[in-house]
Amino acid sequence: IFIGWFIGGGVVLNGSLFPGRTGYAGAVGPLPVPGPGGIPGRFQQLIRSASIYILERAVQGSGCDPRQMWESPDDWTGIESHVEDWIEAIAGDVALAIVSAVSIIDFEAVVVDGAFPASVRTRLVSRVRERVQDFDRQGLSPFTVAEGSIGSGARAIGGACLPLLANFARDRDVLFKEAP
């Protein structure tokens, strides 16, 4: 799962990127989650609750300048109070998405990364792990919620590397193999 302006993701099965029938496998943004206020029967897409644009709107709504988020993606100290509220607000929905995905495909791990400082990622992943424990996971194999390590550069790296690998590499799955 990658949380950027919008939340998204990808699926790796048996060491290979699985694109799905139309290339959108792992696009977690459209997953339904409880809507604002937790009103029974009201749902919204995960993209509307667990994306960075939600944090930006909160920062802007409080009269602060959200440009720091984009100009200094590794230092969000000026918006820290908003970040804590945002982490708390999205952790449950991200945990719901993870448990839902694991219940369909027996994933060993789900990696959570995003376009934010490493300290934010660490706190978010910790909170998501806590929220995963809130779910009844009976019938599911144990799985790990792992912290990513690429951060803000992930989209650029993927955008540059994946087309090259797909068109020119002998081994298209080289990115997903462990180093010897």
Side-chain angles (χ1 to χ4, degrees), residues 1 7-11 18-19 22-32 45-47 97:
I1 294 176
I7 189 169
V11 175
F18 177 73
T22 61
Y24 292 115
V28 296
L31 279 169
Q45 291 188 337
L46 181 62
I47 201 168

Side-chain angles (χ1 to χ4, degrees), residues 58-145:
V59 169
Q60 200 167 28
S62 72
C64 295
D65 187 354
R67 284 185 292 179
Q68 175 188 5
M69 297 170 60
W70 311 111
E71 293 173 355
S72 301
D74 293 326
D75 179 18
W76 285 6
T77 53
I79 59 167
E80 195 57 45
S81 65
H82 298 287
V83 171
E84 282 307 312
D85 292 344
W86 178 72
I87 287 172
E88 187 58 36
I90 74 170
D93 287 349
V94 172
L96 173 59
I98 289 171
V99 173
S100 298
V102 170
S103 71
I104 294 170
I105 297 178
D106 188 21
F107 291 113
E108 177 182 345
V110 176
V111 178
V112 178
D113 207 344
F116 34 67
S119 62
V120 172
R121 179 181 59 231
T122 298
R123 293 191 331 258
L124 174 62
V125 170
S126 176
R127 188 64 181 124
V128 168
R129 286 176 183 144
E130 291 170 5
R131 295 303 304 268
V132 163
Q133 299 305 311
D134 295 341
F135 288 88
D136 179 357
R137 296 176 319 284
Q138 184 176 356
L140 297 178
S141 296
F143 60 92
T144 302
V145 177

Side-chain angles (χ1 to χ4, degrees), residues 1-15:
I1 294 176
F2 187 84
I3 303 169
W5 182 254
F6 296 120
I7 189 169
V11 175
V12 177
L13 292 175
N14 303 319

